[in-house]
Coordinates of all heavy atoms in Angstrom, one line a residue:
M1 N 95.9 118.2 86.8 CA 96.8 118.0 88.0 C 96.0 117.3 89.1 O 96.6 116.5 89.8 CB 97.2 119.4 88.5 CG 98.2 120.1 87.7 SD 99.9 119.4 87.7 CE 100.4 119.8 89.4
Q2 N 94.8 117.6 89.3 CA 94.0 117.0 90.5 C 93.9 115.5 90.4 O 94.1 114.9 91.4 CB 92.6 117.7 90.5 CG 91.9 117.4 91.8 CD 92.5 118.1 93.0 OE1 92.8 119.2 92.9 NE2 92.7 117.3 94.1
T3 N 93.7 115.0 89.2 CA 93.5 113.5 89.1 C 94.7 112.7 89.5 O 94.6 111.8 90.4 CB 93.0 113.1 87.7 OG1 91.8 113.8 87.4 CG2 92.8 111.6 87.6
P4 N 95.9 113.0 89.0 CA 97.0 112.2 89.5 C 97.4 112.5 90.9 O 97.8 111.6 91.6 CB 98.2 112.7 88.5 CG 97.7 114.0 87.9 CD 96.2 113.9 87.9
I5 N 97.1 113.7 91.4 CA 97.4 113.9 92.8 C 96.4 113.1 93.7 O 96.8 112.6 94.7 CB 97.3 115.5 93.1 CG1 98.4 116.2 92.4 CG2 97.3 115.7 94.6 CD1 98.3 117.7 92.5
N6 N 95.2 113.0 93.3 CA 94.2 112.3 94.0 C 94.6 110.8 94.2 O 94.2 110.1 95.1 CB 92.8 112.4 93.4 CG 92.1 113.7 93.6 OD1 92.5 114.4 94.5 ND2 91.1 114.0 92.8
R7 N 95.3 110.3 93.2 CA 95.7 108.9 93.2 C 96.9 108.6 94.1 O 97.2 107.5 94.4 CB 96.1 108.5 91.8 CG 94.9 108.4 90.8 CD 95.3 108.0 89.4 NE 94.1 108.0 88.6 CZ 94.2 108.0 87.2 NH1 95.3 108.1 86.6 NH2 93.1 108.0 86.5
L8 N 97.6 109.7 94.6 CA 98.7 109.5 95.4 C 98.3 109.0 96.8 O 97.2 109.4 97.3 CB 99.5 110.8 95.6 CG 100.2 111.3 94.3 CD1 100.8 112.7 94.6 CD2 101.3 110.3 93.8
G9 N 99.1 108.3 97.5 CA 98.9 107.9 98.9 C 99.2 109.1 99.8 O 99.8 110.1 99.3
L10 N 98.8 109.0 101.0 CA 99.0 110.1 102.0 C 100.4 110.6 102.1 O 100.7 111.8 102.1 CB 98.4 109.8 103.3 CG 98.4 110.9 104.4 CD1 97.7 112.1 103.9 CD2 97.9 110.3 105.7
A11 N 101.3 109.6 102.2 CA 102.7 110.0 102.4 C 103.3 110.7 101.1 O 104.0 111.6 101.3 CB 103.6 108.7 102.7
D12 N 102.9 110.2 100.0 CA 103.3 110.9 98.7 C 102.7 112.3 98.6 O 103.4 113.2 98.1 CB 102.9 110.0 97.5 CG 103.8 108.8 97.4 OD1 104.9 108.8 97.9 OD2 103.3 107.8 96.7
K13 N 101.5 112.5 99.1 CA 100.9 113.8 99.0 C 101.7 114.7 100.0 O 101.9 115.9 99.6 CB 99.4 113.7 99.5 CG 98.5 113.2 98.4 CD 97.1 113.1 98.9 CE 96.2 112.5 97.8 NZ 94.9 112.1 98.3
E14 N 102.0 114.2 101.1 CA 102.8 115.1 102.1 C 104.2 115.4 101.5 O 104.7 116.5 101.6 CB 102.9 114.4 103.4 CG 101.6 114.4 104.2 CD 101.7 113.9 105.6 OE1 102.8 113.5 106.1 OE2 100.6 113.9 106.3
N15 N 104.8 114.4 100.9 CA 106.1 114.7 100.3 C 106.0 115.7 99.1 O 106.9 116.6 99.0 CB 106.7 113.4 99.7 CG 107.2 112.5 100.8 OD1 107.6 112.9 101.9 ND2 107.3 111.2 100.5
L16 N 104.9 115.6 98.3 CA 104.7 116.6 97.3 C 104.5 118.0 97.9 O 105.1 119.0 97.4 CB 103.5 116.2 96.4 CG 103.1 117.1 95.4 CD1 104.2 117.3 94.3 CD2 101.8 116.6 94.7
L17 N 103.7 118.1 98.9 CA 103.5 119.4 99.6 C 104.8 120.0 100.1 O 105.1 121.1 99.8 CB 102.5 119.2 100.7 CG 102.2 120.4 101.6 CD1 101.6 121.5 100.7 CD2 101.4 120.1 102.8
M18 N 105.6 119.2 100.7 CA 106.9 119.7 101.3 C 107.8 120.1 100.1 O 108.5 121.1 100.2 CB 107.6 118.6 102.1 CG 106.8 118.3 103.4 SD 106.4 119.8 104.4 CE 108.0 120.3 104.9
S19 N 107.8 119.3 99.0 CA 108.7 119.7 97.9 C 108.2 121.0 97.3 O 109.0 121.9 96.9 CB 108.7 118.6 96.8 OG 109.2 117.4 97.4
L20 N 106.9 121.2 97.1 CA 106.4 122.4 96.6 C 106.7 123.6 97.5 O 107.0 124.7 97.0 CB 104.8 122.3 96.4 CG 104.4 121.4 95.2 CD1 102.9 121.2 95.2 CD2 104.8 121.9 93.9
M21 N 106.6 123.4 98.8 CA 106.9 124.5 99.7 C 108.4 124.8 99.6 O 108.8 126.0 99.7 CB 106.5 124.1 101.1 CG 105.0 124.1 101.3 SD 104.6 124.1 103.1 CE 102.9 124.3 103.0
D22 N 109.3 123.8 99.5 CA 110.7 124.1 99.3 C 110.9 124.9 98.0 O 111.7 125.9 98.0 CB 111.5 122.8 99.3 CG 111.6 122.2 100.6 OD1 111.4 122.9 101.6 OD2 112.0 121.0 100.7
I23 N 110.2 124.6 97.0 CA 110.4 125.3 95.7 C 109.9 126.7 95.9 O 110.6 127.7 95.4 CB 109.7 124.6 94.6 CG1 110.4 123.2 94.2 CG2 109.6 125.5 93.3 CD1 109.6 122.3 93.3
I24 N 108.7 126.9 96.5 CA 108.2 128.3 96.7 C 109.1 129.1 97.6 O 109.4 130.2 97.3 CB 106.8 128.2 97.3 CG1 105.8 127.6 96.3 CG2 106.3 129.6 97.8 CD1 104.4 127.2 96.9
H25 N 109.6 128.5 98.6 CA 110.6 129.1 99.5 C 111.8 129.6 98.8 O 112.3 130.7 98.9 CB 110.9 128.2 100.7 CG 111.7 128.9 101.8 ND1 112.6 128.2 102.5 CD2 111.8 130.1 102.2 CE1 113.2 129.0 103.4 NE2 112.7 130.2 103.2
Y26 N 112.4 128.7 97.9 CA 113.5 129.1 97.2 C 113.2 130.2 96.2 O 114.0 131.2 96.1 CB 114.0 127.8 96.4 CG 115.2 128.2 95.4 CD1 116.5 128.2 95.9 CD2 115.0 128.4 94.1 CE1 117.5 128.6 95.1 CE2 116.0 128.8 93.2 CZ 117.3 128.8 93.8 OH 118.3 129.2 92.9
L27 N 112.1 130.1 95.5 CA 111.7 131.2 94.5 C 111.5 132.5 95.2 O 111.9 133.6 94.7 CB 110.5 130.8 93.7 CG 110.7 129.6 92.8 CD1 109.3 129.2 92.2 CD2 111.7 129.9 91.7
N28 N 111.0 132.4 96.5 CA 110.8 133.6 97.2 C 112.1 134.2 97.7 O 112.4 135.4 97.6 CB 109.9 133.3 98.5 CG 109.8 134.5 99.4 OD1 110.2 134.4 100.5 ND2 109.2 135.6 98.9
K29 N 113.0 133.4 98.2 CA 114.4 133.8 98.6 C 115.2 134.4 97.5 O 116.0 135.4 97.7 CB 115.2 132.7 99.2 CG 114.8 132.4 100.7 CD 115.8 131.5 101.4 CE 116.5 130.5 100.6 NZ 117.3 129.6 101.3
T30 N 115.0 133.9 96.3 CA 115.8 134.4 95.2 C 115.1 135.6 94.4 O 115.6 136.0 93.4 CB 116.1 133.3 94.2 OG1 114.9 132.7 93.8 CG2 117.0 132.3 94.9
G31 N 113.9 136.0 94.9 CA 113.2 137.2 94.4 C 112.4 136.9 93.1 O 111.9 137.8 92.5
V32 N 112.2 135.6 92.8 CA 111.4 135.3 91.6 C 110.0 135.5 91.9 O 109.2 136.0 91.0 CB 111.7 133.8 91.1 CG1 110.8 133.5 90.0 CG2 113.2 133.6 90.8
I33 N 109.5 135.2 93.1 CA 108.1 135.5 93.5 C 108.1 136.2 94.8 O 109.1 136.2 95.5 CB 107.3 134.1 93.6 CG1 107.9 133.2 94.6 CG2 107.1 133.5 92.2 CD1 107.0 132.0 94.8
T34 N 107.0 136.8 95.1 CA 106.9 137.6 96.3 C 106.0 137.1 97.4 O 105.8 137.8 98.4 CB 106.5 139.1 96.0 OG1 105.2 139.0 95.3 CG2 107.5 139.8 95.1
I35 N 105.6 135.9 97.3 CA 104.7 135.3 98.3 C 105.6 135.3 99.6 O 106.7 134.8 99.6 CB 104.3 133.8 98.0 CG1 103.3 133.9 96.8 CG2 103.7 133.2 99.2 CD1 102.9 132.5 96.3
Q36 N 105.1 135.9 100.7 CA 105.8 136.0 101.9 C 105.1 135.6 103.1 O 105.5 135.9 104.2 CB 106.3 137.4 102.0 CG 107.2 137.9 100.9 CD 107.6 139.3 101.1 OE1 107.1 140.0 102.0 NE2 108.5 139.8 100.3
R37 N 104.0 134.9 103.0 CA 103.2 134.6 104.1 C 103.1 133.1 104.4 O 102.2 132.6 104.9 CB 101.7 135.1 104.0 CG 101.7 136.6 103.7 CD 100.5 137.3 104.1 NE 99.2 136.7 103.7 CZ 98.0 137.1 104.0 NH1 97.9 138.1 104.8 NH2 97.0 136.4 103.6
M38 N 104.2 132.4 104.1 CA 104.3 131.0 104.4 C 105.1 130.7 105.7 O 106.0 131.5 106.1 CB 104.9 130.3 103.2 CG 106.3 130.7 102.9 SD 106.9 130.0 101.3 CE 106.8 128.2 101.6
C39 N 104.8 129.6 106.3 CA 105.5 129.3 107.6 C 107.0 129.4 107.5 O 107.6 129.9 108.4 CB 105.1 127.9 108.0 SG 103.4 127.7 108.6
K40 N 107.6 128.9 106.4 CA 109.0 128.9 106.3 C 109.7 130.2 106.4 O 110.9 130.3 106.6 CB 109.5 128.1 105.1 CG 109.1 126.6 105.3 CD 109.8 125.8 104.2 CE 109.5 124.3 104.5 NZ 110.3 123.4 103.7
T41 N 108.9 131.3 106.2 CA 109.5 132.7 106.2 C 108.9 133.5 107.4 O 109.0 134.7 107.4 CB 109.3 133.4 104.9 OG1 107.8 133.6 104.7 CG2 109.8 132.7 103.7
C42 N 108.4 132.8 108.4 CA 107.7 133.4 109.5 C 108.5 133.4 110.8 O 109.2 132.4 111.1 CB 106.4 132.7 109.7 SG 105.4 133.4 111.1
V43 N 108.5 134.5 111.5 CA 109.3 134.6 112.7 C 108.8 133.6 113.8 O 109.6 133.3 114.7 CB 109.3 136.0 113.4 CG1 109.9 137.0 112.5 CG2 107.9 136.5 113.7
Y44 N 107.6 133.2 113.7 CA 107.0 132.3 114.7 C 107.3 130.8 114.4 O 106.9 130.0 115.2 CB 105.5 132.5 114.8 CG 105.1 133.9 115.2 CD1 104.3 134.7 114.4 CD2 105.5 134.4 116.4 CE1 103.9 135.9 114.7 CE2 105.1 135.6 116.8 CZ 104.3 136.4 116.0 OH 103.9 137.7 116.3
F45 N 107.9 130.6 113.3 CA 108.1 129.2 112.8 C 109.4 128.6 113.4 O 110.5 129.1 113.2 CB 108.1 129.1 111.3 CG 108.2 127.7 110.7 CD1 107.2 126.8 110.9 CD2 109.4 127.4 110.0 CE1 107.3 125.5 110.4 CE2 109.5 126.1 109.5 CZ 108.5 125.2 109.7
S46 N 109.3 127.4 114.0 CA 110.5 126.6 114.3 C 110.4 125.3 113.5 O 109.5 124.5 113.6 CB 110.4 126.2 115.8 OG 110.6 127.3 116.6
P47 N 111.4 125.1 112.6 CA 111.3 123.9 111.7 C 111.6 122.7 112.5 O 112.3 122.6 113.5 CB 112.5 124.2 110.7 CG 113.4 125.1 111.4 CD 112.5 126.0 112.3
G48 N 110.9 121.6 112.1 CA 111.1 120.3 112.7 C 112.3 119.6 112.2 O 113.1 120.2 111.4
S49 N 112.5 118.4 112.7 CA 113.6 117.6 112.2 C 113.1 116.2 112.0 O 111.9 116.0 112.0 CB 114.7 117.5 113.3 OG 114.3 116.8 114.4
D50 N 114.0 115.2 111.8 CA 113.6 113.8 111.6 C 112.8 113.3 112.9 O 112.0 112.4 112.8 CB 114.8 112.9 111.3 CG 115.3 113.2 109.9 OD1 114.6 113.8 109.1 OD2 116.5 112.8 109.7
T51 N 113.1 113.9 114.0 CA 112.6 113.4 115.3 C 111.6 114.4 116.0 O 111.0 114.0 117.0 CB 113.7 113.0 116.3 OG1 114.5 114.2 116.5 CG2 114.6 111.9 115.7
T52 N 111.5 115.6 115.4 CA 110.6 116.6 116.1 C 109.7 117.2 115.0 O 110.0 117.2 113.8 CB 111.4 117.7 116.8 OG1 112.1 118.4 115.8 CG2 112.3 117.2 117.8
H53 N 108.5 117.7 115.5 CA 107.6 118.3 114.6 C 108.0 119.8 114.4 O 108.7 120.4 115.3 CB 106.2 118.3 115.2 CG 105.6 116.9 115.2 ND1 105.2 116.2 114.1 CD2 105.4 116.0 116.2 CE1 104.8 115.0 114.4 NE2 104.9 114.9 115.7
H54 N 107.4 120.4 113.4 CA 107.5 121.9 113.2 C 106.7 122.5 114.4 O 105.8 121.8 115.0 CB 106.9 122.3 111.9 CG 107.4 121.6 110.7 ND1 108.7 121.6 110.3 CD2 106.8 120.8 109.8 CE1 108.9 120.9 109.2 NE2 107.7 120.3 108.9
F55 N 106.9 123.7 114.7 CA 106.2 124.4 115.8 C 105.9 125.8 115.4 O 106.8 126.5 114.9 CB 107.0 124.3 117.1 CG 106.2 124.6 118.3 CD1 105.4 123.7 118.9 CD2 106.2 125.9 118.9 CE1 104.6 123.9 120.0 CE2 105.5 126.2 120.0 CZ 104.7 125.2 120.6
C56 N 104.7 126.3 115.7 CA 104.3 127.7 115.6 C 104.3 128.3 117.0 O 103.4 127.9 117.8 CB 102.9 127.8 114.9 SG 102.3 129.5 114.9
R57 N 105.1 129.3 117.2 CA 105.2 129.9 118.5 C 104.0 130.8 118.8 O 103.7 131.1 119.9 CB 106.5 130.6 118.7 CG 107.7 129.6 118.8 CD 109.0 130.3 119.2 NE 109.4 131.3 118.2 CZ 110.1 131.0 117.1 NH1 110.5 129.7 116.9 NH2 110.5 131.9 116.2
L58 N 103.4 131.3 117.7 CA 102.2 132.2 117.9 C 101.0 131.4 118.3 O 100.3 131.7 119.3 CB 101.9 132.9 116.6 CG 100.7 133.8 116.7 CD1 100.9 135.0 117.6 CD2 100.2 134.3 115.3
L59 N 100.8 130.3 117.6 CA 99.7 129.4 118.0 C 100.0 128.5 119.1 O 99.1 127.8 119.7 CB 99.2 128.6 116.7 CG 98.9 129.4 115.5 CD1 98.6 128.4 114.3 CD2 97.7 130.2 115.7
N60 N 101.3 128.4 119.4 CA 101.8 127.5 120.5 C 101.3 126.1 120.3 O 100.8 125.4 121.2 CB 101.3 128.0 121.9 CG 102.1 127.3 123.0 OD1 103.2 127.0 122.8 ND2 101.4 127.1 124.1
Q61 N 101.6 125.6 119.1 CA 101.2 124.2 118.8 C 102.1 123.6 117.7 O 102.7 124.3 116.9 CB 99.7 124.2 118.3 CG 99.5 124.7 116.9 CD 98.0 124.6 116.5 OE1 97.1 124.8 117.3 NE2 97.8 124.2 115.3
K62 N 102.2 122.3 117.8 CA 102.9 121.5 116.8 C 102.3 121.7 115.4 O 101.0 121.8 115.3 CB 102.9 120.1 117.1 CG 103.8 119.7 118.3 CD 103.9 118.2 118.4 CE 102.7 117.7 119.2 NZ 102.9 116.2 119.5
L63 N 103.1 121.7 114.4 CA 102.5 121.7 113.0 C 103.0 120.5 112.3 O 104.2 120.2 112.2 CB 103.0 123.0 112.3 CG 102.6 124.3 112.8 CD1 103.3 125.4 112.1 CD2 101.1 124.5 112.7
F64 N 102.1 119.7 111.8 CA 102.5 118.6 110.9 C 102.7 119.1 109.5 O 102.3 120.2 109.2 CB 101.4 117.5 110.9 CG 101.2 116.8 112.2 CD1 100.2 117.3 113.2 CD2 101.9 115.7 112.6 CE1 100.1 116.7 114.4 CE2 101.8 115.1 113.8 CZ 100.8 115.6 114.7
D65 N 103.4 118.3 108.7 CA 103.7 118.8 107.3 C 102.4 119.3 106.7 O 102.4 120.4 106.0 CB 104.3 117.7 106.5 CG 105.8 117.5 106.9 OD1 106.3 118.3 107.7 OD2 106.3 116.4 106.4
K66 N 101.3 118.6 106.9 CA 100.1 119.0 106.2 C 99.5 120.3 106.8 O 98.6 120.8 106.2 CB 99.0 117.8 106.3 CG 98.6 117.6 107.8 CD 97.6 116.5 107.8 CE 97.1 116.2 109.2 NZ 96.6 117.3 110.0
D67 N 100.0 120.7 107.9 CA 99.4 121.9 108.5 C 100.2 123.2 108.1 O 99.7 124.3 108.4 CB 99.5 121.9 110.1 CG 98.8 120.7 110.6 OD1 97.7 120.4 110.1 OD2 99.2 120.1 111.6
L68 N 101.3 123.0 107.4 CA 102.1 124.2 107.1 C 101.3 125.1 106.1 O 100.6 124.6 105.2 CB 103.4 123.8 106.4 CG 104.4 123.0 107.3 CD1 105.6 122.6 106.6 CD2 104.7 123.8 108.6
R69 N 101.4 126.4 106.3 CA 100.6 127.3 105.5 C 101.4 128.1 104.5 O 102.6 128.3 104.7 CB 99.9 128.3 106.4 CG 99.0 127.7 107.4 CD 98.4 128.7 108.3 NE 97.5 128.1 109.3 CZ 96.9 128.7 110.3 NH1 97.1 130.0 110.4 NH2 96.1 128.1 111.1
I70 N 100.8 128.4 103.4 CA 101.5 129.2 102.4 C 100.9 130.6 102.3 O 101.4 131.5 101.6 CB 101.5 128.6 101.0 CG1 100.1 128.3 100.5 CG2 102.4 127.3 101.0 CD1 100.0 127.8 99.1
D71 N 99.8 130.9 103.0 CA 99.2 132.2 103.0 C 98.5 132.5 104.3 O 97.3 132.5 104.4 CB 98.2 132.4 101.8 CG 97.8 133.8 101.6 OD1 98.5 134.7 102.0 OD2 96.7 134.0 101.0
C72 N 99.3 132.6 105.4 CA 98.8 132.7 106.7 C 98.5 134.2 107.1 O 99.4 135.0 107.0 CB 99.8 132.1 107.7 SG 99.2 132.3 109.4
P73 N 97.3 134.5 107.5 CA 97.0 135.9 107.9 C 97.8 136.4 109.1 O 98.0 137.6 109.3 CB 95.5 135.9 108.2 CG 95.2 134.5 108.4 CD 96.2 133.6 107.7
E74 N 98.4 135.5 109.9 CA 99.1 135.9 111.1 C 100.6 136.0 110.9 O 101.4 136.3 111.7 CB 98.9 134.8 112.3 CG 97.6 134.1 112.4 CD 96.4 135.1 112.5 OE1 96.6 136.2 113.0 OE2 95.3 134.7 112.2
H75 N 101.0 135.7 109.6 CA 102.4 135.6 109.3 C 103.2 137.0 109.6 O 102.7 138.0 109.3 CB 102.5 135.3 107.8 CG 103.9 135.3 107.3 ND1 104.6 136.4 106.9 CD2 104.8 134.2 107.1 CE1 105.8 136.0 106.5 NE2 106.0 134.8 106.6
V76 N 104.4 136.8 110.1 CA 105.3 138.0 110.3 C 106.6 137.6 109.6 O 107.2 136.6 110.0 CB 105.5 138.4 111.8 CG1 106.5 139.5 111.9 CG2 104.1 138.7 112.4
L77 N 107.0 138.3 108.7 CA 108.2 138.0 107.9 C 109.5 138.1 108.7 O 109.7 139.1 109.4 CB 108.3 139.0 106.7 CG 109.5 138.7 105.7 CD1 109.3 137.4 105.0 CD2 109.5 139.8 104.7
V78 N 110.3 137.1 108.6 CA 111.6 137.1 109.2 C 112.5 138.1 108.5 O 112.5 138.2 107.3 CB 112.3 135.7 109.1 CG1 113.8 135.8 109.5 CG2 111.6 134.6 109.8
T79 N 113.1 139.0 109.2 CA 114.0 139.9 108.6 C 115.4 139.7 109.2 O 115.6 139.7 110.4 CB 113.6 141.4 108.9 OG1 113.5 141.6 110.3 CG2 112.3 141.7 108.2
N80 N 116.4 139.5 108.4 CA 117.8 139.3 108.9 C 118.8 139.6 107.8 O 118.5 140.1 106.8 CB 118.0 137.9 109.4 CG 117.5 136.8 108.4 OD1 117.0 137.1 107.4 ND2 117.7 135.6 108.8
Ligands
SF4_1 S1 101.9 132.4 112.4 FE1 101.1 131.3 110.6 S2 102.8 131.4 109.1 FE2 103.7 131.9 111.1 S3 104.4 129.9 111.9 FE3 102.4 130.2 112.7 S4 101.0 129.2 111.2 FE4 103.0 129.5 110.2

């Protein structure tokens, strides 16, 4: 896996990361896996858009796609 990933450009690596996070998020939401410490399931997370960055309200900072975490020690699960 590492060799073909190393050959990707930066934009393709970021797209791959976002796609993997979407898959993990979906698998988590549907109960297939129990990983729960990723930004997308955190109360402090504000998702970005085409024109804005993601934001962590705990760290009070913008998060670029490459900064999104899948196992954050500060994570607090969204309950709704
Ligand atoms: S606390 Fe951690 S998991 Fe939650 S939004 Fe901030 S960086 Fe992401």
